[in-house]
Amino acid sequence: MVIFMFTTVILAAGMGTRMKSEKPKVLHKVCGKALCRWVIDAAKEAGSEKVCTIVGHKADMVKGEIGDVCEFALQAEQKGTGHAVMQALDFIKSSQGEVVILNGDTPLVTAEAIKNAVSYHRSLKNNATVITAVLDNATGYGRIVRDNDGNVLKIVEQKDASEEEKKIKEVNSGMYVFDAQSLVYALDKITPNNAQGEYYLTDTLEILWGAGKKVGGYTIEDNDEIRGINDRVQLGEADKIMQKRINEYHMRNGVTIRNPESVIIESDVEIGNDTEIMQNVTIKSGSRVGKNCVIGMGTILDRAVIHDNVDILSSVILESEIDEGTHVGPFAYVRPNCKVGKDVKVGDFVELKNSNIDDGTKISHLTYIGDSDIGKRVNFGCGTVTCNYDGKKKYRTTIGDDCFVGCNTNFVSPINVGDGAYIAAGSTITEDIPKDSLSIARARQVNKEGWKDKRN
Ligand code: UD1
Ligand code: MG
């Protein structure tokens, strides 16, 4: 068995001035996931044993948001990409196998490409391998200078390049594979003698070549993978490319997506096969959708758990769970912390919040249920309201199994309704209702005959 061991250093200390943001660049999101988190995940998926992210600008904020998925090293002052990697020297020295260097603002790099680059590096027994791309417009990138045998002699930054070098179309992606020893050796030798007065990581290649080491370039197949994000336009472009990848992944998994360009499915969403997603749907990170569901036009799911055979039309479901065979919408609003059972109907203009609705219950129209526990097979008439808030505190409403709630009922909570109770339409319920009883809580109707004539 080949042991595929390597570690990864991710550069993420820069400010990202062109984002014009209070937030560090690497925390901006593509398809619901922070830029540098995409890179961390790609490295791990490729098999990286350990990952160290170099943070600097708003370091605590970056560390806090990324969490303990990797190690961190601090680059207090940003003195260049080489200087950034130096901050991870301890990490590098304690690592086994190769060191892969990636950029925190290049979210489209795939695990596949990282693996291929490491394999290439190994098969040629290189000491350093730079991942390159051939671009029609290479402006802004470091250019790859090779000899006739294809060895990489050096990388010249745009700002330091001669007119001749600027014509080179092969560019530095900013991603590399090094053997750890060579990297440590070369980092020690770089100086800030260049147009930007920075310690360039790119200089390590020329240093290694000069010391008789083997330096190569691995050209990536899909140029999109090296796209770095510097401004919001590039962020939007990367989002679009990533969205296409995600939607195609789900379609290949057996999910039908109608008009996929209009559908937003963020990272870390699971969808079962034979589910159909209609146009303009948004499914945010952390949501799970079962098999054979229909997620109808315009629906928004945010951290929602939807079981099999559920059908949702033009509704919003936040941090809630919907069990099998239930029908939601059109235009229902399920707010956080609801658990809706099997074969329930949550109809048009129904709002649920912090409530449990048991199997077979029907809430068909124009109803608000908040802070409530509703039993099985309850039927709600149109326009039921739980009055769960007295202006200071919230109270719960509990309704047993097999109850019938007439239209326009108000429950002034806290209220307990026993199993099998009936409530007359138009009732304002202020006291508990015993099981199997009929409750009527409204003024008795008076008809004053001939009233119109007397009035005149
Ligand atoms: C770098 C490369 C260039 C390559 C390009 C690819 C160097 C000298 N040049 O240029 O050859 O074509 O990437 O996108 O390496 N960073 C730090 N600390 C620092 C400086 C940068 O962590 O002190 C991080 C940034 O946050 C960013 C990455 O390193 O994620 C790259 O830095 P950036 O300034 O964008 O380098 P480029 O000028 O684009
Ligand atoms: Mg850059």
Side-chain angles (χ1 to χ4, degrees), residues 28-249:
H28 283 267
K29 287 181 176 173
V30 156
C31 295
K33 182 150 72 170
L35 298 181
C36 64
R37 185 63 202 270
W38 280 108
V39 184
I40 295 167
D41 288 354
K44 288 184 158 182
E45 196 191 327
S48 184
E49 195 209 353
K50 293 193 291 177
V51 176
C52 179
T53 303
I54 313 292
V55 290
H57 176 69
K58 300 200 174 169
D60 288 336
M61 193 171 166
V62 177
K63 279 158 77 173
E65 193 147 322
I66 296 305
D68 57 4
V69 295
C70 65
E71 296 178 36
F72 294 96
L74 180 69
Q75 185 193 25
E77 252 185 289
Q78 282 79 62
K79 297 185 195 165
T81 47
H83 181 257
V85 178
M86 288 177 204
Q87 312 312 307
L89 264 186
D90 289 343
F91 173 86
I92 292 167
K93 285 177 180 165
S94 71
S95 302
Q96 282 182 294
E98 291 83 355
V99 180
V100 170
I101 305 217
L102 304 174
N103 281 331
D105 64 353
T106 313
L108 295 169
V109 66
T110 60
E112 202 58 36
I114 298 169
K115 274 200 255 183
N116 289 344
V118 176
S119 297
Y120 178 87
H121 173 89
R122 281 182 191 172
S123 65
L124 291 185
K125 301 199 164 59
N126 284 346
N127 297 100
T129 302
V130 52
I131 302 180
T132 74
V134 179
L135 302 182
D136 286 336
N137 179 6
T139 311
Y141 286 94
R143 308 298 207 284
I144 305 291
V145 182
R146 294 195 190 237
D147 69 9
N148 290 335
D149 298 327
N151 295 303
V152 173
L153 303 181
K154 61 176 179 174
I155 297 174
V156 214
E157 289 309 292
Q158 167 92 20
K159 286 182 182 152
D160 303 294
S162 66
E163 284 314 309
E164 214 41 46
E165 286 165 338
K166 279 182 189 156
K167 289 183 189 147
I168 299 173
K169 286 189 180 332
E170 186 179 19
V171 304
N172 172 20
S173 68
M175 301 186 263
Y176 317 78
V177 186
F178 284 94
D179 78 59
Q181 267 189 337
S182 301
L183 177 60
V184 173
Y185 166 84
L187 280 177
D188 191 44
K189 299 207 158 26
I190 57 178
T191 63
N193 300 329
N194 51 54
Q196 302 187 83
E198 288 186 353
Y199 291 89
Y200 287 170
L201 179 59
T202 45
D203 286 351
T204 55
L205 301 190
E206 194 178 357
I207 291 165
L208 290 173
W209 175 251
K213 303 279 186 184
K214 199 154 180 269
V215 181
Y218 170 74
T219 309
I220 211 159
E221 280 165 30
D222 176 3
N223 288 344
D224 280 342
E225 293 198 36
I226 74 150
R227 279 174 183 257
I229 310 298
N230 297 304
D231 60 28
R232 312 263 181 162
V233 174
Q234 292 171 334
L235 188 72
E237 288 165 354
D239 196 74
K240 201 170 165 197
I241 293 166
M242 190 67 89
Q243 192 59 77
K244 189 159 181 281
R245 283 189 196 168
I246 291 175
N247 289 2
E248 285 176 3
Y249 162 83

Side-chain angles (χ1 to χ4, degrees), residues 252-366:
R252 291 207 171 87
N253 254 353
V255 177
T256 296
I257 303 183
R258 303 281 291 275
N259 193 0
E261 287 77 48
S262 76
V263 170
I264 294 172
I265 303 173
E266 292 188 343
S267 67
D268 305 310
V269 168
E270 284 172 33
I271 308 176
N273 62 318
D274 289 324
T275 282
E276 193 170 357
I277 314 271
M278 309 303 267
Q279 62 272 44
N280 296 320
V281 164
T282 297
I283 306 181
K284 304 198 63 126
S285 293
S287 297
R288 281 189 351 239
V289 179
K291 295 180 191 176
N292 209 32
C293 296
V294 178
I295 309 299
M297 187 173 99
T299 294
I300 298 173
L301 304 179
D302 187 359
R303 282 161 289 168
V305 176
I306 312 295
H307 292 257
D308 298 345
N309 302 312
V310 169
D311 146 27
I312 300 172
L313 178 54
S314 303
S315 294
V316 177
I317 300 181
L318 313 177
E319 296 168 54
S320 289
E321 184 172 349
I322 313 286
D323 213 335
E324 280 174 45
T326 284
H327 173 97
V328 180
F331 316 119
Y333 183 23
V334 180
R335 291 165 55 199
N337 204 25
C338 288
K339 207 165 175 303
V340 178
K342 297 184 172 66
D343 302 313
V344 171
K345 183 174 178 197
V346 180
D348 53 275
F349 304 103
V350 169
E351 177 174 337
L352 306 179
K353 186 213 83 173
N354 189 29
S355 292
N356 300 304
I357 317 290
D358 213 335
D359 300 348
T361 284
K362 291 191 165 42
I363 314 166
S364 297
H365 354 250
L366 299 165

